Amino acid sequence: MQLIVLAISLVAMALIAFTFLSAARAATLPAVVPRTDPEARRRRVILGLAALGVIVTLLSLRPWPHTIPGTAAVVNVSGGQFYWEIDTDTVPLGEPVAFHAHTVDVTHGFGVMDPAGTILFQTQAMPGYVNQVSHTFETPGTYRVVCLEYCGIAHHDMLNEFTVAAR
Amino acid sequence: MTTMTDVTTVEHGPQTGAVKLTMLIAGAVFLLMMIFGLAMRAAQGALVEIEPGLFYQLMTVHGAGMVGTAGLSGATILWYFTGRHVPLIAGVFHAFLALFLLGVVLILGAIFLGGYAGAWTFLYPLPAFSAGQWEAGAAVTFLLGYTSIGVGFLLLHLEVMRKLIAAYGGIGGAMAWPVAFGRGDPKDAPPPGVVAAMASSIFNTIGIVIGAAVLVASIVNLAFPGFAVDALLAKNMIFFFGHVFINAAIYMAVIAVYEIVPDYTGKPWKCSRAFALSWTVVLFFVMAVYPHHLLQDVAMPGWALAMGQIVSYFSGIPLIAVTAFSLLVYLRGANGMRWDLATGLLVLGVAGWTAGSAPAILDGMIVVNKVMHNTQWVPGHFHTYLILGEVAMAFGFMAWLTRREGETLRGPVATVFWAYVLGGAGFVLMFLVSGALSVPRRWAVHLPEWHLQAQIATAFAALVVLAVTAFVLRYVARLGRG
Ligand code: HEM
Ligand SMILES: [Cu+2]
Ligand SMILES: [Cu+2]
């Protein structure tokens, strides 16, 4: 997911840079009468972007990304300055797991990295709330828990881990 | 009523002296904060060693200092060009500047004397939970610094809105609603800079009022820990304020593009129907989009998160299809335009702002946000539209204030310009790459496998610092020679 997002961004940014550079060059040359009416082109850009927006919205919001399956196994995690407490050290493989994120002091960010170090999901652990996030682990191994909300001077040291294994 | 022709015929706005001084302060603070940023990135690459406590103090001062200075430079641009169209009370600007500087002193004291390192976002209840790094008094001092700056901005915006409302026949007149909604003739519309000044003053005022409320709540909480606030409500208010404030800085700075670029292309920037409509849309979108900062707060109502994602995408349309598109049309229509440092930086500002919207919109999608939120992707996209956007516009405005007739973008000044572009682009791309590789943001210490990325970024950052040093020195030298 992350690398696809990076690729899309780089292409879009390169396209924008190229458009500006070529207009900047054209500005120094004698004026040319545009082949098509700029206002007609502007309308096409707006309609095109709007249509793309509707499609992307529908595809990315259905199903609702924060849905928690009713059958998920529950794991409680609790953050505090500066540690993560997890109520189990082994999490089941191949079935949905719902993490319930608590905090004892400030807001922390409960984030999980796979064995290769790629972030899989996160949610906020916020005073007064128990936020839930669910995930189905596909590969066994050791997963790292990190903090993804700045919580004070040892924020980067709030590390823990758990094992994913078949029941 | 001011008409279009004033835009190009009036040469000097009022209070040029105060404006030049303020931009000098802004340029110098940008440079200093960039040096702090360079130190942080070097520490992440293990090139220098900085204690985590000090790193987070630097992060706090860099965040607050940069956002504040972006606001300062944007508001100064707004004030200068609004002064071309309506008379403004000079004392208001002096009070604004004085309150700003008082705020800076309080913030610096809180961080470097008091040890405050709760980040520029003062996320409730972090200021009250320092784990021994700072006392409650330091946090209160920091928040009072914000309050002082906020009051200054309120004064400035109220004066601007009051005068624009009087001169253009109400809020709707200044926002060009007759043109936007059909009946009016674009020839009678206010200049584009006025529409932008009105819209950004309205939303920045609302943002600052909400910000003041959460500041007061946080200060009371520090004084009386028994007084608790709902953490989710406080977070909503903080991000509403933070989002609106930093966006207002960019929307105010773009006034310089509307007012200066036409002098070079020879075509006045028109307040067309698309332009007028887009600013009304922006007025509402800027305020409605802030939940894109809370996409991982599942306690938020689903509709608010969906709105955050959708408005985040559609906010790109007025930027791309109106401001960027019109600029491109004006450039292509120009006849043998002369580039100088001012126009180079102003156009770069719009290009960088537009480019930065791509990674920003992607991060504003819930599915993407789940894996990229609070990674370095986030500083990646906002440094794009700040370094290559707002800050480029601010230095462009400074170059224009000290321009010489007939100068072109050649020789050493061109080298500095392209060093800034290259350094800035390389630096922000490295943040985006690190974010895509799951490197968290706001970590004082990075894992060894991430060091190389931070080291490359440090080299690009050094290039930016060198270029900005040259921009500031050139500005100072020219101010000195008058
Ligand atoms: C040479 C130029 C710059 C360098 C080297 C630099 C460096 C950095 C670094 C290393 C961080 C922390 C990244 C992390 O979270 O891991 C950061 C954060 C930040 N920077 Fe910059 N920066 C530069 C320019 C700017 C500019 C021009 C602005 C705004 C006008 C800005 C605004 C911010 C903000 C708001 C943060 C977030 C602070 C926080 O997370 O609390 N920076 N910068
Ligand atoms: Cu943390
Ligand atoms: Cu935002």
Side-chain angles (χ1 to χ4, degrees), chain A residues 1-3 5-6 8-10 12-13 16-17 19-32 38-39 41-42 45-46 48-54 56-57 60-61 64-66 81-82 104-107 113 117-124 126-134 144 146-159, chain B residues 52-53 56 59 117-119 123-126 129 131 133 230-232 235 274 295-299 302 305-306 309-310 313-314 317 320-322 324-329 331-337 339 347 350-351 354-355 358-359 362 365-375 377 384 418 429 432-433 436-438 440-445 447 450:
Chain A
M1 157 88 91
Q2 282 96 322
L3 294 181
V5 170
L6 177 65
I8 297 173
S9 292
L10 293 182
M13 293 167 88
I16 291 164
T19 313
F20 271 88
L21 279 172
S22 67
R25 268 194 71 77
T28 60
L29 306 173
V32 279
E39 290 313 310
R41 255 187 303 148
R42 187 199 304 271
V45 171
I46 294 176
L49 287 173
L52 179 66
V54 171
V56 170
T57 301
S60 64
L61 289 182
W64 182 242
H66 288 315
Q81 282 173 328
F82 295 95
V104 301
D105 41 45
V106 300
T107 298
M113 287 180 174
T118 304
I119 293 174
L120 292 178
F121 58 86
Q122 62 180 298
T123 196
Q124 294 263 306
M126 173 175 273
Y129 292 85
V130 180
N131 287 336
Q132 299 185 22
V133 59
S134 92
R144 184 186 284 147
V146 295
C147 184
L148 291 177
E149 186 63 63
Y150 178 63
C151 57
I153 52 168
H155 161 60
H156 56 279
D157 250 348
M158 251 181 93
L159 305 173
Chain B
Y56 291 122
M59 185 184 89
L123 187 60
Y124 177 87
L126 181 58
F129 286 81
Q133 161 88 9
D230 182 277
L232 187 59
K235 187 173 180 185
L295 297 179
Q296 296 320 310
D297 290 294
V298 290
L305 301 188
Q309 168 170 333
I310 294 167
Y313 178 92
F314 285 89
I317 296 182
I320 296 168
V322 183
F325 189 93
S326 297
L327 178 60
L328 291 166
V329 171
L331 288 177
R332 290 191 169 280
N335 194 358
M337 175 178 152
W339 287 95
V347 172
V350 178
T354 311
L362 282 157
M365 295 173 61
I366 295 172
V367 282
V368 174
N369 196 265
K370 211 177 199 101
V371 293
M372 298 192 117
H373 180 58
N374 282 346
T375 67
W377 187 265
T384 309
W418 287 110
L429 286 177
L432 292 174
V433 167
L437 295 176
S438 293
R441 74 181 284 202
R442 292 173 157 176
W443 275 27
V445 182
L447 302 180
W450 302 332

Side-chain angles (χ1 to χ4, degrees), chain A residues 28-81:
Chain A
T28 60
L29 306 173
V32 279
V33 182
R35 268 171 287 136
T36 49
D37 172 26
E39 290 313 310
R41 255 187 303 148
R42 187 199 304 271
R43 269 193 299 278
R44 276 207 301 279
V45 171
I46 294 176
L47 285 178
L49 287 173
L52 179 66
V54 171
I55 295 168
V56 170
T57 301
L58 290 177
L59 289 180
S60 64
L61 289 182
R62 289 166 15 142
W64 182 242
H66 288 315
T67 307
I68 308 284
T71 57
V74 172
V75 172
N76 282 291
V77 298
S78 177
Q81 282 173 328

Side-chain angles (χ1 to χ4, degrees), chain B residues 44-101:
Chain B
Q44 291 179 337
L47 294 170
V48 297
E49 205 176 317
I50 299 179
E51 285 293 306
L54 177 60
F55 179 96
Y56 291 122
Q57 283 169 278
L58 290 177
M59 185 184 89
T60 303
V61 78
H62 177 86
M66 284 296 195
V67 172
T69 311
L72 177 72
S73 54
T76 305
I77 289 172
L78 165 119
W79 183 265
Y80 180 86
F81 290 109
T82 304
R84 279 182 163 187
H85 306 296
V86 291
L88 296 167
I89 300 175
V92 172
F93 191 77
H94 300 147
F96 163 73
L97 185 57
L99 285 164
F100 189 91
L101 294 175

Side-chain angles (χ1 to χ4, degrees), chain B residues 392-406:
Chain B
M393 294 185 216
F395 281 110
F397 175 60
M398 290 163 69
W400 178 81
L401 283 174
T402 51
R403 70 197 176 284
R404 301 270 160 82
E405 280 315 313

Side-chain angles (χ1 to χ4, degrees), chain B residues 251-306:
Chain B
Y251 284 108
M252 293 188 287
V254 83
I255 295 172
V257 176
Y258 297 153
E259 297 262 349
I260 295 173
V261 171
D263 287 350
Y264 290 77
T265 59
K267 301 231 168 58
W269 203 297
K270 291 205 196 78
C271 180
S272 62
R273 178 133 190 264
F275 180 92
L277 264 174
S278 83
W279 273 94
T280 297
V281 168
V282 163
L283 172 61
F284 292 101
F285 276 11
V286 165
M287 294 188 285
V289 73
Y290 84 91
H292 68 188
H293 297 275
L294 291 96
L295 297 179
Q296 296 320 310
D297 290 294
V298 290
M300 288 286 288
W303 65 263
L305 301 188

